[in-house]
Amino acid sequence: MKKLYIIRHAKSSRSDETLEDFERPLNKRGKENAPMMGERLKERGIMPDIIISSPAKRAKSTAEMIAKEIGYEKRVLFDENIYEASVDELRKILTCINDKNSAAFLVGHNPSLNDLANYYVHHEENIPTCGIVEVEFECNKWSDIEPKNAKFLSFEYPKKSDG
């Protein structure tokens, strides 16, 4: 079994119009939501074997805050190909994950994360900032992950109530 957590970066700030999109930081809400979502993952006992993130500032901060919250002690890997990636590019990244890793966090951006979730499990709902789609694949190799062996497990996001 392989588990994938598709994680959209937390809410970013657009207050400084001189910043390139890549350099946009998290805003106040984003800085609160990322640790909160990390806490929710921790409460469920979720610990990835690998975290791969876009190096864009808002995604990098989100990945690092969630990693800190869950007690992830390895290095977060940053892959510039995640930024502005197509579904095919994201799939290429995922299918190259070392098979010793059973659970992976992929931290990135919309619309590509929406498209990825839709591709694997027909998840058509928009993934809001700091939203997490959990998908399980019935296979032993990342190179074998496909829609036909994918199963939607959960969808969490900051404003989702615990009811």
Side-chain angles (χ1 to χ4, degrees), residues 112-159:
S112 53
L113 294 184
N114 276 344
D115 296 342
L116 187 72
N118 191 13
Y119 172 79
Y120 282 123
V121 290
H122 304 294
H123 184 274
E124 295 179 8
E125 207 176 326
N126 178 54
I127 302 171
T129 50
C130 223
I132 303 171
V133 176
E134 180 183 14
V135 180
E136 185 175 73
F137 297 92
E138 255 188 76
C139 60
N140 296 316
K141 294 180 174 177
W142 285 100
S143 58
D144 293 339
I145 64 172
E146 291 289 338
K148 67 176 185 280
N149 61 24
K151 183 173 139 195
F152 170 82
L153 294 182
S154 70
F155 178 37
E156 287 285 331
Y157 48 93
K159 289 187 174 170

Side-chain angles (χ1 to χ4, degrees), residues 89-103:
E89 288 168 308
L90 291 176
R91 286 177 52 219
K92 215 172 281 173
I93 291 164
L94 294 171
T95 57
C96 289
I97 293 174
N98 187 315
D99 291 328
K100 73 175 196 275
N101 299 304
S102 296

Side-chain angles (χ1 to χ4, degrees), residues 23-36:
E23 294 298 326
R24 285 193 357 245
L26 295 180
N27 68 8
K28 183 177 184 288
R29 193 171 99 208
K31 288 176 186 166
E32 292 166 358
N33 286 349
M36 179 183 78

Side-chain angles (χ1 to χ4, degrees), residues 40 43 156-163:
R40 284 194 200 170
E43 284 168 7
E156 287 285 331
Y157 48 93
K159 289 187 174 170
K160 186 174 181 180
S161 67
D162 293 322

Side-chain angles (χ1 to χ4, degrees), residues 46-89:
I46 294 169
M47 177 62 72
D49 299 301
I50 186 170
I51 299 177
I52 308 169
S53 173
S54 158
K57 193 168 193 171
R58 59 194 180 275
K60 185 177 188 205
S61 298
T62 301
E64 289 171 341
M65 287 177 175
I66 288 175
K68 181 174 187 246
E69 204 60 44
I70 62 173
Y72 180 81
E73 294 182 347
K74 300 178 204 164
R75 218 164 41 90
V76 174
L77 305 176
F78 297 101
D79 187 332
E80 61 274 357
N81 295 311
I82 296 171
Y83 182 71
E84 297 184 337
S86 67
V87 168
D88 283 344
E89 288 168 308

